[in-house]
Amino acid sequence: MKDWDAYNAAARAQGKELTALHPELVKGFGALSRGAATTQHLDAKTRELIALAVAITTRCDGCIDAHVRKAKTAGASKAEIAEALGVAIALNAGAAFTYALHALDAAEETAG
C-alpha cells in the first residue's frame, strides 16, 4: 500500500512546480474546486464522500488522498467512508455490466 503522507508531500511539491510553470491553469483549477465546494444543500461531509466515491471510479490517487483527508476533517468516520466506497464499487460493477451488454451487442452485429 501507499505511504499516503509521503505521496501527499510529493504531490504538493510537484503542484508548486506546476503552479510556477503554468499559474493560470492552477488558478483556474482552484476556482473550479472552490466553486464545487460552495453548496447550499450539501454539507461538507456529504460533498467529500461523493467526491471520494468519484475519485475511486476515476482512479485518481491525488483525488483519493485529498478527499479522504477532507472527509475526515469534515467529520466522516471510517465506517461512513467505507459506505461511500461501497457505492463506488457498485457503480463500477454497474458500468462493467452495462459495457458487457455493449460487447454482446457488438458481437452480434459485427462481421468476423
Side-chain angles (χ1 to χ4, degrees):
M1 293 292 173
K2 284 188 187 299
D3 177 341
W4 288 100
D5 289 331
Y7 176 87
N8 183 273
R12 287 182 177 279
Q14 287 184 312
K16 288 178 183 177
E17 182 180 357
L18 182 58
T19 300
L21 293 167
H22 199 334
E24 288 302 310
L25 171 72
V26 176
K27 182 179 173 184
F29 178 73
L32 180 62
S33 294
R34 285 188 302 279
T38 305
T39 57
Q40 296 178 11
H41 305 289
L42 296 176
D43 63 16
K45 181 169 76 171
T46 302
R47 263 193 334 270
E48 292 307 326
L49 291 171
I50 292 168
L52 182 55
V54 172
I56 298 302
T57 63
T58 58
R59 298 176 185 98
C60 175
D61 284 348
C63 302
I64 291 166
D65 177 60
H67 295 293
V68 163
R69 291 172 191 276
K70 289 180 180 181
K72 288 172 71 176
T73 298
S77 67
K78 196 169 186 180
E80 289 170 317
I81 289 170
E83 287 186 7
L85 299 178
V87 172
I89 291 166
L91 261 290
N92 277 312
F97 184 88
T98 299
Y99 272 84
L101 300 179
H102 289 215
L104 285 176
D105 186 49
E108 262 187 48
E109 293 186 13
T110 58

